[in-house]
Amino acid sequence: MIFASRSPAHKTPFGAVKAGQQVAFTLTPPRRLSWLDVFLCVSDEFASHDFEQKLHWDGLELDADRYSGVLDTSGMLGPIWYWFRYTTTSGASGIFHNPEHLPFGEGRQGSGEPAPFQLTVTDPGGTPIPDWYGKGITYHIFPDRFRRTKIPSPDGMVGVRRVHRDWGSCPEFRPDENGEVKNCDFFGGSIAGVLEKLSYIHSLGVRTIYFSPIFEAASNHRYDTACYTRIDPMFGTQEEFEELCASAAELGMKIMLDGVFNHTGFDSVYFNGRGTYELPGAYQSKDSPYYEWYNFISWPEEYSSWWGIYTLPDVNEGSESYRDFIYRSPSSVVRRWLKAGASAWRLDVADEMPDDFIEELREAARQEKDDAVIIGEVWEDASNKIAYSTRRRYLLGHELDGVMNYPFRNSLLAYILGGRAEGFRDDMERLRENYPRDAYFSLMNTLGTHDTPRILTVLGADSDSWELSKEERSICTLSPRQYDIAIKRLKMASAVLYAFPGSPCILYGDEVGLEGFEDPFNRRTYPWGSENKELLDWYLRLGKARNISQALQSGDIQYLHADNELLCFFRTFGNSRALLCVNRGNVRRTIRADWHGGRAPVDILSDHMCRRRNQVVEVTLEPMSARLLLTLPEKRGG
């Protein structure tokens, strides 16, 4: 191996660094390659500065030459791209780069245009990330569908609403006479319902409740905000919200809100496209205080909207008055709801908001609450994301504290559904290398969200089911055979979710076997009284493990096995240790692992004490199963 970016023999320190740190590089080409001179080539994209630096020959390492050098990152910021150029004793030349995303960050010799390695350099003066979020479990609630205490009346509310009397009925998916699906059917989930089930949420080990939008809106998803300063009356009141925050805090839980600040609703106080509100909005008058918030092409009928959806007019985030309203002023939206008891914001479609908007928003949130957390909706690797032809600066110290970890979901599901464990390990190690450590530990890891099909359906439905008509998918459920396989797969996937760095996030109902294809079938109501109790017990055990183990909350990760069907990794924090083992294959497997010091571990998923001989534990894994070994904390007191 000539160079591998994740090997301490070739590059230290591991992963992202703060500007000013020195990064040591070592290359070990075999003598038979006859390398003569080696240069580190660096491209600082944000500074538009490229340079080379010669590495020094340090002697021999067995049958390889050793070339070393140190890069001073002072003044750098962002993803820094690097590769190596070499010449040989015969006068030939070439490059050593990263064209294939090989395991351990290993490079390859090549020629032509380089495919560089990435070194993330952050601002040492950036705002520290609070560590509370990544340690705990997040519960994601789609407000209209979790719990209602009564059938509400829609009278006097914005929009034309229809309320389902049957809590378990299917959400409306058929278009109206104009071919539109308006999402105007409601089930009446409420704050009172969440309060009624708060102890249940707490029993899952949850430390953060994340709500999809709760503010007044014409649709059931409420991503078409009608009024940022008013909770949708079908969901509740500000007083009830403050009570919820206080009651959650008594149980050690915090509230995260969904900030939809890239667009508003057509039917809103600000745009007022249907004339619902008394004062004129941007659609009625150019004299409206909200007119400059929008991007009109030909007022009033032609305007920029999110993905061309006319009910979601885009907002001009550069508007000074809009920024004052959202986060600058003492009574701004971000500050108002933090004062009311919220502790965090998740930013919807973060890719579509300017970097300086996000930076100023986080600064305002921290001024209001010094441990407020800002999580962004980013579907790719956020360390090098390009959105609208712009390289983003999300994780460099001034914007997001973490992001929704869709790469984790995609890679884990690929493994569980038949892929190789090596692929999951390599994908996750690449993220760990690219992300600042505190951001990596503040990721929102999830198996499913309100934007994806239900995880049980993903893990159980055959390919033909996805080809059914929407009418057929509305009533399609897993067969007993499919359901059994899906449950086994979900147990394996959820065990990885809870054992991994970052916050494990449960979409309401996943823990009890809720099924559903795409929107709106993934947004069915929580099945109170019809829960899969066996699956729920599994999640309760995982929640207990996460909350008693410092290793699972904050520990470093080290892979023991990533071998086709078998995935095993340690988490270690001081004297606290955990070992997660998954066998997605059809043959029983046995692994052995060193377990020094302290007491023998317990398999928290079965309560069985594990045998340890000569400081080695032996773990037997049945087909399609997972085991999670912990050293239980010492009991305090007499």
Side-chain angles (χ1 to χ4, degrees):
M1 190 179 291
I2 295 174
F3 176 82
S5 63
R6 295 194 284 275
S7 166
H10 293 118
K11 174 179 168 288
T12 57
F14 175 90
V17 298
K18 294 183 183 297
Q21 279 188 268
Q22 293 191 332
V23 181
F25 295 92
T26 298
L27 274 69
T28 53
R31 294 230 83 192
R32 58 180 170 77
L33 296 180
S34 301
W35 285 18
L36 178 61
D37 292 318
V38 181
F39 301 85
L40 170 65
C41 307
V42 178
S43 178
D44 185 343
E45 182 177 350
F46 288 158
S48 299
H49 178 50
D50 298 348
F51 62 92
E52 288 187 356
Q53 158 177 335
K54 189 173 182 178
L55 302 184
H56 302 288
W57 186 78
D58 286 342
L60 297 176
E61 190 171 292
L62 298 178
D63 62 347
D65 289 298
R66 179 182 174 90
Y67 292 89
S68 300
V70 173
L71 175 67
D72 184 351
T73 63
S74 297
M76 295 182 180
L77 186 68
I80 305 300
W81 310 107
Y82 69 93
W83 62 99
F84 304 93
R85 182 174 67 83
Y86 65 87
T87 61
T88 69
T89 55
S90 65
S93 64
I95 60 173
F96 192 87
H97 61 159
N98 185 35
E100 302 174 47
H101 291 302
L102 295 169
F104 312 111
E106 187 177 354
R108 283 287 184 265
Q109 289 178 262
S111 60
E113 190 69 22
F117 298 90
Q118 178 179 331
L119 169 65
T120 303
V121 180
T122 66
D123 185 351
T127 308
I129 295 177
D131 67 356
W132 62 262
Y133 177 69
K135 291 180 178 179
I137 300 162
T138 301
Y139 196 72
H140 178 184
I141 292 177
F142 192 76
D144 187 55
R145 309 290 162 84
F146 178 65
R147 177 72 174 179
R148 73 181 179 194
T149 57
K150 62 182 180 181
I151 299 175
S153 169
D155 293 347
M157 298 182 187
V158 63
V160 179
R161 307 187 184 198
R162 181 178 70 84
V163 178
H164 292 259
R165 299 193 68 81
D166 179 3
W167 176 252
S169 60
C170 181
E172 186 54 64
F173 62 92
R174 302 172 185 87
D176 63 14
E177 62 277 7
N178 297 318
E180 289 186 72
V181 178
K182 292 186 175 178
N183 299 295
C184 59
D185 62 315
F186 289 75
F187 286 83
S190 63
I191 293 176
V194 177
L195 277 165
E196 186 177 271
K197 293 297 181 179
L198 203 58
S199 60
Y200 163 73
I201 297 171
H202 182 253
S203 74
L204 292 168
V206 170
R207 294 295 176 262
T208 304
I209 300 174
Y210 156 46
F211 287 107
S212 286
I214 65 174
F215 303 119
E216 184 171 67
S219 74
N220 53 45
H221 57 70
R222 299 187 176 112
Y223 282 93
D224 54 337
T225 311
C227 181
Y228 289 105
T229 61
R230 186 184 184 201
I231 290 174
D232 192 277
M234 191 173 284
F235 188 55
T237 65
Q238 180 165 336
E239 290 73 26
E240 287 178 307
F241 176 77
E242 290 174 358
E243 179 187 354
L244 172 63
C245 291
S247 298
E250 289 177 1
L251 295 172
M253 296 189 289
K254 298 177 184 288
I255 304 298
M256 176 185 289
L257 296 179
D258 213 329
V260 187
F261 302 140
N262 165 260
H263 50 267
T264 69
F266 178 82
D267 196 359
S268 67
V269 173
Y270 321 107
F271 199 80
N272 208 9
R274 294 192 174 91
T276 300
Y277 295 90
E278 182 178 351
L279 296 177
Y283 189 81
Q284 280 87 33
S285 173
K286 292 183 178 182
D287 293 327
S288 166
Y290 311 119
Y291 175 76
E292 69 172 52
W293 290 12
Y294 298 95
N295 303 299
F296 285 100
I297 300 163
S298 178
W299 181 83
E301 296 294 342
E302 195 176 354
Y303 49 90
S304 173
S305 61
W306 188 74
W307 284 44
I309 301 171
Y310 83 91
T311 56
L312 302 174
D314 282 335
V315 167
N316 172 20
E317 294 98 339
S319 164
E320 295 298 321
S321 66
Y322 184 68
R323 294 190 178 204
D324 289 343
F325 175 75
I326 293 296
Y327 57 77
R328 282 178 179 165
S329 75
S331 60
S332 63
V333 175
V334 167
R335 295 173 185 268
R336 173 194 182 101
W337 296 107
L338 290 174
K339 289 175 183 175
S343 297
W345 286 92
R346 175 263 193 190
L347 300 184
D348 185 57
V349 294
D351 290 342
E352 305 192 32
M353 291 183 284
D355 284 296
D356 66 331
F357 183 92
I358 298 174
E359 180 177 344
E360 290 181 11
L361 185 150
R362 187 174 82 155
E363 183 180 354
R366 290 285 214 280
Q367 289 171 357
E368 200 60 53
K369 190 169 285 188
D370 61 10
D371 65 345
V373 166
I374 306 296
I375 301 294
E377 181 193 15
V378 180
W379 286 61
E380 301 84 10
D381 183 335
S383 72
N384 54 37
K385 177 67 186 286
I386 295 177
Y388 299 93
S389 303
T390 299
R391 182 82 65 186
R392 304 309 300 264
R393 302 171 182 249
Y394 296 132
L395 303 179
L396 301 182
H398 296 283
E399 294 187 25
L400 300 175
D401 296 312
V403 295
M404 300 180 73
N405 197 359
Y406 280 100
F408 168 85
R409 175 185 184 271
N410 298 339
S411 190
L412 178 57
L413 294 187
Y415 159 61
I416 294 294
L417 290 171
R420 299 181 66 87
E422 296 94 320
F424 174 77
R425 176 201 63 197
D426 295 341
D427 288 345
M428 294 302 98
E429 285 294 89
R430 190 177 308 117
L431 278 189
R432 189 167 73 94
E433 180 181 23
N434 289 349
Y435 284 23
R437 188 182 190 280
D438 48 3
Y440 190 75
F441 278 74
S442 293
L443 293 172
M444 180 188 284
N445 299 330
T446 184
L447 300 177
T449 71
H450 68 282
D451 285 326
T452 63
R454 282 284 170 175
I455 184 59
L456 204 63
T457 300
V458 171
L459 295 177
D462 56 37
S463 58
D464 291 343
S465 299
W466 300 94
E467 302 300 322
L468 296 172
S469 68
K470 197 151 190 174
E471 193 80 38
E472 291 170 319
R473 290 198 300 277
S474 72
I475 58 173
C476 181
T477 57
L478 299 175
S479 69
R481 180 190 64 82
Q482 291 172 328
Y483 190 85
D484 180 63
I485 292 172
I487 290 294
K488 289 179 179 178
R489 287 172 171 167
L490 179 52
K491 285 183 175 181
M492 291 187 289
S494 57
V496 178
L497 174 71
Y498 275 70
F500 213 74
S503 177
C505 180
I506 319 166
L507 176 62
Y508 77 101
D510 279 353
E511 76 276 19
V512 293
L514 194 57
E515 298 180 42
F517 288 85
E518 78 287 356
D519 172 25
F521 311 126
N522 59 342
R523 301 175 182 179
R524 294 179 186 272
T525 53
Y526 187 104
W528 298 108
S530 301
E531 301 92 335
N532 180 322
K533 296 298 177 61
E534 177 195 350
L535 184 60
L536 176 57
D537 179 68
W538 180 266
Y539 271 88
L540 290 169
R541 288 175 179 271
L542 288 172
K544 175 184 177 183
R546 183 78 184 200
N547 284 318
I548 66 174
S549 171
Q550 284 187 301
L552 293 183
Q553 294 173 27
S554 306
D556 291 327
I557 185 168
Q558 179 183 8
Y559 291 85
L560 179 64
H561 291 289
D563 179 16
N564 198 5
E565 295 100 346
L566 188 65
L567 175 68
C568 306
F569 57 80
F570 277 108
R571 299 286 307 280
T572 307
F573 185 86
N575 294 325
S576 178
R577 205 173 194 205
L579 173 63
L580 184 280
C581 299
V582 176
N583 174 21
R584 69 144 181 81
N586 297 316
V587 178
R588 177 186 292 179
R589 300 287 295 271
T590 299
I591 67 108
R592 292 171 179 82
D594 292 336
W595 201 288
H596 297 284
R599 294 182 295 172
V602 172
D603 179 3
I604 198 71
L605 301 177
S606 66
D607 288 334
H608 291 157
M609 185 71 74
C610 299
R611 283 189 171 187
R612 182 176 57 170
R613 292 182 178 177
N614 299 321
Q615 306 301 309
V616 174
V617 294
E618 186 173 278
V619 182
T620 299
L621 290 159
E622 298 298 327
M624 297 184 70
S625 71
R627 297 185 67 179
L628 179 56
L629 277 57
L630 305 177
T631 301
L632 297 180
E634 298 284 351
K635 293 183 179 180
R636 296 182 178 180

